[in-house]
């Protein structure tokens, strides 16, 4: 039987829109659209696409896995009704995020993953963690209903791969860190934008973040001043980059040819300076992959970040440095920034870049920027999601190719782009610049 609209008086949805603040549509959209699949006509074609992968697709190949996943998402979207999608967005996903964060902070996922991941009653978990089982029961029921832990009985659960992975700080710490130091900015963004008359946010001291958190600090300053948010953020950065194609791989960027081959051989020559390099995960990877490469590897970040490093390859030098000030390492083979410029609007990026350009040696030094390039069409959801974080948290943006060219080649910097290396939509490209 076809789903029926409840509570409508005329079947055209007018009753549901009583007192609405959104502009009227003429003629009004009928409520029945919200109760039928989003795109039932697309279902046969999507299913055909899925079956073309065969019974045992080789999902260990990332391209195959991602293509199949995209089809599976298409299928879910096509089958869901608009009403179900709305409930998922407004209740289920924020509720799941809230429940996971609370359980993460309590240590629930660590208990679940211990002793071989045997099924446990909520009362047992609550007793181990010395916490209230009533709330825990409800939190875990929703996480299980969303499929992220396994229900094995009445208020009894076992871990999944996902919930086990949450016990690794670089995977799990993003939850409390963003819950405590970021998402308020997303919630308040619509309110901020309405007050700002929808002008593009570009003010790093009075943008959506400062409005939401009632602060003058930027997100980095706020998180570092409200520990453990800062430490959790550093871990989150380490988690974000896991399992993604890396520019240091030979099928991405020719490191030997473009960096190492013509390296100066004096003892204090610097090979790679990672500016805003967080805990040093990129330089560690570089050191592992090019163990024989000559030259210093230098990690720069704010003192609060550098001081928090617990383990680092001894080959990597730690250096406190604020990139808004003069770059102390002169004439390095390459200055490298990963996910740094996207945190800042163009005027601030230019001032950071000026400090680097002033330290670069003409005809020798390179500037390597590892960032997303948003394509004109078909942008990847992870990159657009990051763009939403940039606008709400930093009054900044993920950039298109044109945005990058305009920024990096702006005349006052004296830089030129000499090459852009990209391997996959949704994975950061490597942009190489030199002095003009
Ligand atoms: C988005 S994170 C990227 C970290 C790292 N490059 C990565 O890809 O994982 C931005 C980094 O910029 C650092 N940062 C922010 N303001 C800075 C400043 N004024 N000087 C130096 N580093 C800064 C932050 O501490 C943080 O580690």
């Amino acid at each position: 039987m076809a789903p029926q609209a409840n509570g409508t008086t005329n079947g055209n949805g007018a009753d549901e829109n009583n007192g609405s603040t959104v502009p009227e549509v003429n003629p009004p959209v009928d409520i029945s659209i919200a109760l039928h699949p989003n795109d039932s006509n697309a279902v046969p074609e999507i299913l055909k696409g899925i079956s073309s992968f065969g019974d045992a697709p080789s999902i260990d190949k990332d391209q195959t896995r991602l293509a199949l996943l995209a089809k599976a998402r298409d299928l879910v979207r096509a089958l869901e009704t608009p009403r179900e999608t709305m409930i998922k967005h407004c209740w289920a996903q924020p509720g799941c995020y809230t429940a996971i964060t609370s359980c993460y902070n309590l240590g629930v996922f660590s208990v679940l993953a211990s002793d071989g991941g045997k099924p446990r009653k909520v009362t047992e978990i609550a007793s181990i963690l010395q916490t209230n089982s009533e709330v825990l029961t409800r939190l875990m029921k929703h996480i299980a209903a969303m499929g992220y832990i396994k229900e094995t009985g009445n208020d009894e659960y076992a871990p999944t791969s996902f919930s086990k992975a949450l016990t690794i700080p670089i995977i799990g710490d993003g939850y409390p860190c963003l819950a405590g130091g970021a998402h308020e900015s997303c919630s308040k963004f619509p309110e901020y934008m309405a007050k700002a008359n929808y002008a593009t946010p570009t003010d790093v001291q009075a943008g959506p973040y400062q409005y939401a958190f009632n602060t003058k600090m930027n997100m980095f300053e706020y998180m570092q001043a409200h520990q453990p948010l800062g430490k959790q953020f550093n871990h989150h950065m380490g988690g974000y980059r896991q399992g993604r194609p890396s520019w240091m791989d030979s099928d991405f960027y020719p490191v030997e040819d473009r960096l190492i081959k013509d390296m100066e051989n004096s003892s204090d020559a610097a090979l790679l300076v990672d500016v805003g390099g967080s805990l040093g995960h990129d330089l560690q990877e570089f050191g592992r992959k090019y163990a024989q490469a000559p030259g210093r590897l230098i990690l720069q970040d704010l003192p609060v970040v550098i001081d928090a490093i617990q383990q680092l390859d001894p080959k990597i030098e730690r250096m406190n440095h604020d990139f808004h000030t003069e770059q102390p390492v002169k004439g390095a083979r390459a200055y490298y920034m990963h996910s740094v410029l996207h945190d800042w609007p163009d005027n601030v990026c230019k001032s950071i870049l000026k400090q680097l350009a002033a330290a670069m040696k003409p005809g020798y030094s390179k500037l390597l920027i590892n960032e997303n390039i948003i394509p004109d069409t078909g942008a990847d959801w992870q990159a657009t999601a990051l763009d939403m974080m940039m606008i709400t948290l930093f009054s900044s943006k993920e950039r298109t190719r044109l945005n990058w060219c305009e920024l990096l080649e702006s005349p006052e910097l004296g830089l030129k782009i000499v090459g852009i290396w990209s391997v996959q939509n949704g994975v950061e490209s490597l942009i190489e610049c030199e002095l003009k």
Side-chain angles (χ1 to χ4, degrees), residues 218-221 224 233-234 236-238 240-241 274-282 300-305 320-325 336-344 352 370 390 394 428:
N218 67 36
M219 192 198 82
F220 300 116
E221 292 164 340
Q224 298 299 350
F233 178 76
N234 297 338
H236 181 49
M237 285 296 91
Y240 162 63
R241 59 193 291 291
D274 188 352
V275 183
S278 187
L279 301 180
H281 21 256
D282 283 13
Q300 297 181 335
D301 210 299
L302 296 170
V304 68
V305 177
N320 294 336
H321 172 59
D322 176 346
F323 52 47
H324 300 302
T325 63
Y336 165 66
M337 282 190 289
H338 181 194
S339 303
V340 169
L341 295 178
H342 75 164
D343 296 333
W344 304 92
I352 298 170
N370 193 198
M390 292 305 117
F394 296 107
E428 292 104 325

Side-chain angles (χ1 to χ4, degrees), residues 35-54:
L35 310 179
H36 291 91
N38 278 311
D39 195 357
S40 45
N41 291 339
V43 172
E45 200 54 35
I46 299 171
L47 284 175
K48 217 191 283 171
I50 291 177
S51 61
S52 74
F53 284 83

Side-chain angles (χ1 to χ4, degrees), residues 89 94 97 174-175 177-194 198 201 207-214 219 223 236 384-395:
H89 289 159
Y97 185 87
Y175 287 78
C177 154
L178 296 181
H183 286 159
E184 184 69 8
S185 197
C186 305
S187 299
K188 286 272 169 66
F189 182 74
E191 184 182 308
Y192 168 89
M193 288 302 284
Y198 294 92
Y209 190 86
Q210 291 71 25
Y211 176 79
F213 284 87
N214 192 21
M219 192 198 82
M223 285 189 173
H236 181 49
T384 52
L386 202 50
D387 190 43
M388 292 301 97
M389 293 300 105
M390 292 305 117
I391 193 171
T392 52
L393 304 177
F394 296 107
S395 304

